[in-house]
Amino acid sequence: NFPTIYTGDDVAQTFTFTSDGVTPINITGRTYSAAVYDGASSVASFTCTNTTGTDGKVVLSLANATTTSLGVGQWRWSLVENASGIISTLLVGSFTIASEVTG
């Protein structure tokens, strides 16, 4: 799960896929998509970036305009991998968007 996000923040979370908890899996050539859900409906998409492929890392990002438009509340998300036409849901979770606090 993501830490608490505040409306208007840019968000980036890196996930590293490993074979044994330490050794990165080579994800070169695989593509990823991630979405935010309100119930059963997708309401926003993350930008998904493979850093090098050989390091097993995928970065999920939400722009500040997206965190603003989603608004305060609890949201669900999922990350899907396409590995040469084999589609797999790898991760699911939730996150909270809270009101921006200004002083």
Side-chain angles (χ1 to χ4, degrees), residues 46-70:
F46 286 87
T47 299
C48 299
T49 309
N50 299 13
T51 55
T52 66
T54 57
D55 65 2
K57 293 183 181 190
V58 176
V59 180
L60 276 60
S61 304
L62 287 175
N64 57 35
T66 304
T67 62
T68 298
S69 67
L70 286 171

Side-chain angles (χ1 to χ4, degrees), residues 22-40:
V22 177
T23 308
I25 296 170
N26 186 344
I27 59 172
T28 301
R30 299 178 188 188
T31 59
Y32 297 86
S33 60
V36 178
Y37 294 90
D38 182 10

